[in-house]
Amino acid sequence: GQSSPLLLALHPASGPSSSSYAGIRAGTVVGTITDAGNGSPLSSVQVFIEGTSIGALTGLNGRFVLSNVPAGSHLVEAA
């Protein structure tokens, strides 16, 4: 299949200041994979963080959850 890279940067969603989150080591990436042509959700798509063993398959609604993602910028791929 065709791989589509996405670049994600993990940052705290909210809070008093970014320095409050200096101890964060891992987070969760949640998303939905859809067809670029018609916007319908795509099921059974493999989504993974390049260079790690972190990955998941999308559900019937195209949704995926990647847990224990190390803080920082990562290349997320879908195939």
Side-chain angles (χ1 to χ4, degrees):
Q2 183 178 357
S3 184
S4 302
L6 305 169
L7 183 61
L8 299 178
L10 301 179
H11 299 286
S14 64
S17 71
S18 60
S19 62
S20 299
Y21 297 95
I24 293 179
R25 297 174 190 254
T28 301
V29 176
V30 178
T32 303
I33 303 294
T34 58
D35 184 292
N38 62 22
S40 64
L42 297 176
S43 64
S44 301
V45 175
Q46 183 180 14
V47 181
F48 57 95
I49 306 281
E50 184 179 77
T52 73
S53 60
I54 301 168
L57 286 176
T58 59
L60 292 175
N61 60 358
R63 188 173 184 270
F64 68 90
V65 177
L66 302 174
S67 299
N68 297 316
V69 177
S73 296
H74 301 282
L75 183 64
V76 177
E77 295 197 41

